[in-house]
C-alpha cells in the first residue's frame, strides 16, 4: 500500500537517501530542505509522487506550509521523519547560551513544532507514524558534544512522551539511533566561539575522530539508513527504539550495562533512602 511521507533535512545525507529510496518504491513524499533547489532533480524524476518544500524547522510558518502542501498534494501524511539536525561541538563551559539555544531550536524545538502541526491530521484519521532521528549520542555521552548530546536526550524524551500520549489514537513512534554514517555531519560540525585549553585532553580526540569519520572505510552508508527506515515503515508494530548501523549496537549496549550497574550499586549501597 502506498504511504504518504513528510521528510525533513533532505538536501543530502540520510534524508536525501531516504527520499531516493521512497521515490523508487512509488511512495508519495514531501521532501523538505532549507535550500529546495537541491531537490529539483528528485521532483523532475518523480513528478507524480515527490514534492519539494522549503523548510527551516525553526520557522513555524514554514512548518505549517509543509504540512499543508502534503495535504494538498497527497491528501495527508502517514509518516513524518524528523531528520533535520546539526552538531554543535564544545564542552558545557565552552558552549554559549546562543549556541545552546540554536542547537535546541533545530534539533528539539523544530521536530516538536512540526510534529505538533501533523498531530491534528493523525487524530482525525486515527493513524500515523512519527520517526525521530536521534543518535547513539541520545544515550551515550561523548566529551565535547555536550549540547548535541543534550539535544538528542531531549528529543528522545519528547518522543517517548508522545508514544505514551498518542498510542490510543493510533499514533506510532520510533526513535532511530544511528551510529556513524557517511554524511556531511562532521564537516558541518559547528565549533564554539570560545575554546578552553583545559578541556583539550578530553575533547580534542573526539573532535579529531569526528573530523576523520568519513575516512573510515567501514562507515555506514546513507543507503543503509534508507533501507532500515523503509523496512520499518512496513511493520505493523514498529519498535519504540531502533539502533541503525552495526556500530551503534556496542555503544548502546555499553550504555545500558553501565546504567544498570550504576543503579544496582546505588540501590545496594542504600544511597537512595534515609535509614
Amino acid at each position: 500500500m502506498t504511504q504518504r511521507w513528510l521528510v525533513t533535512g533532505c538536501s543530502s545525507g540520510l534524508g536525501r537517501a531516504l527520499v531516493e529510496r521512497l521515490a523508487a518504491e512509488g511512495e508519495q513524499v514531501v521532501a523538505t530542505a532549507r535550500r529546495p533547489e537541491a531537490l529539483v532533480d528528485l521532483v523532475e524524476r518523480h513528478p507524480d509522487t515527490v514534492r519539494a518544500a522549503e523548510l527551516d524547522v525553526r520557522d513555524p510558518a514554514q512548518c505549517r506550509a509543509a504540512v499543508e502542501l502534503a495535504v494538498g498534494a497527497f491528501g495527508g501524511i502517514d509518516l513524518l521523519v524528523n531528520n533535520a539536525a546539526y552538531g554543535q561541538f564544545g564542552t558545557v563551559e565552552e558552549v554559549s547560551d546562543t549556541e545552546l539555544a540554536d542547537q535546541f531550536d533545530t534539533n528539539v524545538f523544530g521536530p516538536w513544532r512540526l510534529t505538533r502541526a501533523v498531530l491534528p491530521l493523525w487524530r482525525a484519521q486515527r493513524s500515523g507514524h512519527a520517526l525521530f532521528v536521534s543518535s547513539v549520542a541520545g544515550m551515550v555521552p561523548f566529551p565535547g558534544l555536550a549540547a548535541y548530546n543534550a539535544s538528542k536526550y531531549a528529543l528522545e524524551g519528547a518522543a517517548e512522551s508522545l508514544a505514551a500520549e498518542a498510542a490510543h489514537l493510533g499514533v506510532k513512534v520510533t526513535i532511530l539511533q544511528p551510529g556513524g554514517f557517511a554524511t556531511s555531519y562532521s564537516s558541518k560540525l559547528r565549533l564554539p566561539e570560545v575554546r578552553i585549553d583545559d578541556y583539550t585532553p578530553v575533547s580534542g580526540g573526539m573532535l579529531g575522530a569526528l573530523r576523520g569519520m568519513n575516512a573510515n572505510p567501514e562507515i555506514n552508508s546513507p543507503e543503509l539508513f534508507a533501507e532500515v527506515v523503509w523496512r520499518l515503515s512496513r511493520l505493523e508494530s514498529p519498535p519504540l527504539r531502533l539502533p541503525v548501523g552495526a556500530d551503534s549496537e556496542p555503544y548502546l549496549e555499553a550504555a545500558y550495562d553501565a546504567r544498570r550497574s550504576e543503579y544496582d550499586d546505588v540501590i545496594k549501597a542504600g544511597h537512595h533512602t534515609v535509614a
Side-chain angles (χ1 to χ4, degrees):
M1 182 180 73
T2 300
Q3 299 189 94
R4 303 163 297 182
W5 299 67
L6 174 58
V7 185
T8 67
C10 300
S11 61
S12 63
L14 304 184
R16 172 77 184 207
L18 177 56
V19 175
E20 292 272 11
R21 178 58 191 272
L22 298 177
E25 295 289 349
E27 299 284 83
Q28 296 176 327
V29 187
V30 171
T32 72
R34 287 184 299 170
R35 297 180 296 102
E37 60 270 19
L39 307 173
V40 170
D41 64 309
L42 280 170
V43 177
E44 290 178 343
R45 284 187 281 124
H46 306 279
D48 297 328
T49 56
V50 177
R51 299 288 186 275
E54 180 179 1
L55 176 58
D56 183 332
V57 296
R58 299 171 298 177
D59 187 326
Q62 289 187 359
C63 287
R64 292 191 297 269
V67 174
E68 290 168 0
L69 174 61
V71 172
F74 305 126
I77 298 167
D78 298 307
L79 295 102
L80 168 65
V81 182
N82 285 300
N83 169 64
Y86 75 91
Q88 171 68 55
F89 195 78
T91 63
V92 168
E93 188 177 354
E94 290 172 325
V95 175
S96 69
D97 287 354
T98 298
E99 290 164 340
L100 181 61
D102 288 346
Q103 179 77 114
F104 269 67
D105 204 6
T106 294
N107 291 13
V108 182
F109 304 153
W112 189 305
R113 65 173 56 95
L114 187 56
T115 302
R116 188 173 57 211
V118 172
L119 280 168
L121 302 177
W122 290 352
R123 285 193 291 108
Q125 69 190 26
R126 284 305 196 257
S127 66
H129 190 177
L131 285 76
F132 294 84
V133 182
S134 180
S135 165
V136 293
M139 189 164 288
V140 181
F142 293 106
L145 284 177
Y148 184 72
N149 274 129
S151 73
K152 292 303 186 180
Y153 275 61
L155 181 69
E156 295 201 9
E160 284 199 68
S161 295
L162 176 63
E165 295 165 352
H168 71 291
L169 301 173
V171 175
K172 305 170 185 176
V173 176
T174 298
I175 300 165
L176 299 165
Q177 297 177 306
F181 276 79
T183 69
S184 60
Y185 170 84
S186 59
S187 63
K188 293 182 178 178
L189 192 67
R190 298 185 187 178
L191 298 180
E193 185 175 342
V194 174
R195 303 297 300 277
I196 300 173
D197 290 342
D198 278 346
Y199 293 109
T200 300
V202 293
S203 66
M206 176 58 63
L207 181 59
L210 291 170
R211 290 298 197 204
M213 187 167 61
N214 286 357
N216 181 355
E218 297 182 358
I219 193 169
N220 299 298
S221 72
E223 289 72 27
L224 169 65
F225 173 85
E227 175 67 20
V228 169
V229 174
W230 168 249
R231 293 186 180 184
L232 175 71
S233 73
R234 318 316 287 180
L235 298 178
E236 184 65 28
S237 300
L240 174 61
R241 274 189 170 81
L242 183 64
V244 186
D247 63 321
S248 66
E249 297 172 19
Y251 280 112
L252 295 172
E253 287 176 2
Y256 280 120
D257 290 345
R259 289 182 180 185
R260 180 76 246 185
S261 177
E262 181 182 31
Y263 175 82
D264 289 343
D265 290 345
V266 167
I267 296 299
K268 290 175 183 177
H271 297 315
H272 66 298
T273 187
V274 176

